[in-house]
Amino acid sequence: MTTGLLELPLNGLHAELGGKFVPFAGYSMPVQYAAGVMAEHLWTREKAGLFDVSHMGQVRLPLDQASALERIAPIEVEGLAEGRQRYGFLTNEAGGLVDDFMIARYADSFVIVINAARRAEDLALFEKHLAGFEVISHRALLALQGPLAESALARLLPDVATLRFMDVRRLTWQGSDLWLSRSGYTGEDGFEISVPVAVCDAFARALLAMDEVAPIGLGARDSLRMEAGLPLYGNDLSETISPVEAGLSWGISKSRRPDGAKAGGYLGVGVIASHLAGEAARKRIGLVPEGRAPMRGGVPLFLSETSQTQIGEITSGGFSPSLGHPIAMALVQSDTDADAPIWGELRGKRHPMRQVDLPFFKTSYKR
């Protein structure tokens, strides 16, 4: 173990399961288990994978802070219905992304899940603009993803079968209060379960005792989200990339757009409004490299094998186990023709790539 890293509440279970640990966002986390990344990825696509995402921050926000949150996030918060959740992002004065998050509305409060690597920046923004929020430290966060996730989880919590995509609910398991949402970072149908630390080991073991459930590490989590065409903060999202450039315009609520009932009023609105009007300098695209060699983040991109003018760079890339070939996402100049061939320069040699629509792999959420 690397010293100075935080440990997940289920650290002992991960070690028992043969997890290989790596540093990630200040935590010691399992990147894979004995089966390996490829097998874990395919298992999640075919059955149900259990992910420990307890490194992510959980924040409870009073309901009366909805309008305050709308000053730092271009989403509709006040109109979010009880029992539902929404994807959103925090912005800065330059129109860049401070972080992306999920927000759920329960009867008595909102619960926001933020990225571990952005915790300090997010909480600083919350301290400045919000009141009465609580950082939750006594709960773990698990995700069960895959086509068999519902049938597995329903053995412990029968009511989960009634949830649809982006529903949230509080349910009880062995006397403990669980907070559930139904979404999925993998593109598969699945659930996120906030569990009191005191019972998270027993709950995880109850799931892992089922034949269709296996533990899944960070490696497969990354390849699964890339296939789903989902951006990752630090790769595809940053404080210098606007939500429009990142391909997240759909995440800006209609009411918060320039012609909406609650237009503007959030950090970076001028820049983001101009980008919505077609003035964004960059755009996120999907790419498929020719051959079998993956091209990863940082690879510079060009419009020909000999051009000296760089048009962008890969932000995320790797091998797609489901498709059997490499995939990549990139940020390129917005005037790049959608049919133009792209060349990536890897170790001094140019390699051809073709542009494709996102996602690479069809999502299967329960609507």
Side-chain angles (χ1 to χ4, degrees):
M1 295 292 179
T2 304
T3 58
L5 294 175
L6 298 172
E7 291 187 352
L8 302 173
L10 291 175
N11 182 75
L13 176 58
H14 296 308
E16 180 184 322
L17 294 169
K20 178 182 178 182
F21 292 85
V22 297
F24 183 82
Y27 284 79
S28 177
M29 296 192 65
V31 66
Q32 66 178 71
Y33 300 86
V37 173
M38 179 83 75
E40 292 172 22
H41 178 114
L42 295 175
W43 182 283
T44 305
R45 288 274 182 246
E46 297 167 4
K47 299 180 182 180
L50 183 64
F51 301 75
D52 188 349
V53 289
S54 301
H55 62 299
M56 302 186 77
Q58 300 180 68
V59 179
R60 193 200 298 265
L61 183 68
L63 294 178
D64 64 9
Q65 293 297 295
S67 61
L69 182 57
E70 290 181 353
R71 291 197 290 270
I72 54 177
I75 64 169
E76 175 65 52
V77 182
E78 291 180 311
L80 182 60
E82 182 181 334
R84 294 288 289 168
Q85 72 172 356
R86 176 166 291 154
Y87 174 76
F89 27 79
L90 303 170
T91 54
N92 58 27
E93 293 284 6
L97 291 154
V98 176
D99 197 8
D100 61 340
F101 63 85
M102 297 295 290
I103 179 170
R105 181 168 186 163
Y106 293 96
D108 58 351
S109 63
F110 296 105
V111 173
I112 305 172
V113 177
I114 59 177
N115 286 304
R118 302 298 293 172
R119 183 188 303 255
E121 291 80 4
D122 293 355
L123 294 183
L125 206 55
F126 289 173
E127 287 281 0
K128 186 175 180 180
H129 295 274
L130 306 178
F133 69 88
E134 172 197 3
V135 179
I136 300 168
S137 59
H138 58 282
R139 302 183 76 90
L141 189 62
L142 304 176
L144 187 67
Q145 304 282 299
L148 302 185
E150 179 187 285
S151 59
L153 188 57
R155 285 183 223 147
L156 304 182
L157 301 164
D159 287 348
V160 300
T162 65
L163 272 67
R164 298 286 174 172
F165 183 60
M166 299 300 260
D167 280 348
V168 300
R169 189 168 300 172
R170 283 180 173 153
L171 297 174
T172 300
W173 182 74
Q174 295 188 356
S176 294
D177 184 29
L178 308 188
W179 307 344
L180 287 93
S181 60
R182 188 168 197 163
S183 56
Y185 196 60
T186 61
E188 295 291 341
D189 181 28
F191 303 85
E192 300 76 41
I193 312 120
S194 177
V195 189
V197 167
V199 299
C200 67
D201 184 89
F203 186 77
R205 288 179 188 275
L207 286 170
L208 290 168
M210 302 176 191
D211 290 341
E212 67 268 46
V213 180
I216 312 295
L218 282 172
R221 183 169 178 253
D222 193 47
S223 56
L224 287 159
R225 69 92 190 170
M226 277 196 287
E227 287 186 349
L230 297 174
L232 176 67
Y233 201 96
N235 289 44
D236 316 284
L237 309 177
S238 78
E239 292 198 14
T240 61
I241 300 172
S242 81
V244 180
E245 291 176 320
L248 299 177
S249 298
W250 58 267
I252 301 174
S253 299
K254 290 182 179 180
S255 65
R256 310 302 309 283
R257 292 170 178 260
D259 58 350
K262 297 165 68 176
Y266 59 86
L267 298 180
V269 60
V271 173
I272 293 172
S274 71
H275 286 190
L276 286 169
E279 298 178 20
R282 301 170 295 180
K283 62 181 179 180
R284 182 166 63 99
I285 63 171
L287 294 168
V288 173
E290 290 188 10
R292 302 278 293 177
M295 294 195 202
R296 305 190 187 278
V299 169
L301 302 175
F302 304 85
L303 287 175
S304 75
E305 194 171 8
T306 57
S307 172
Q308 297 303 303
T309 303
Q310 183 176 338
I311 63 159
E313 70 175 27
I314 291 176
T315 53
S316 288
F319 188 80
S320 165
S322 302
L323 302 175
H325 59 69
I327 57 174
M329 290 186 288
L331 203 60
V332 300
Q333 294 173 359
S334 58
D335 60 358
T336 303
D337 191 287
D339 296 322
I342 306 289
W343 295 75
E345 187 169 287
L346 186 62
R347 293 185 288 275
K349 184 178 180 181
R350 300 275 175 94
H351 301 267
M353 317 173 79
R354 58 185 173 88
Q355 298 185 56
V356 297
D357 293 334
L358 296 173
F360 300 99
F361 190 86
K362 185 179 179 180
T363 57
S364 57
Y365 305 121
K366 184 175 180 179
R367 303 287 182 175

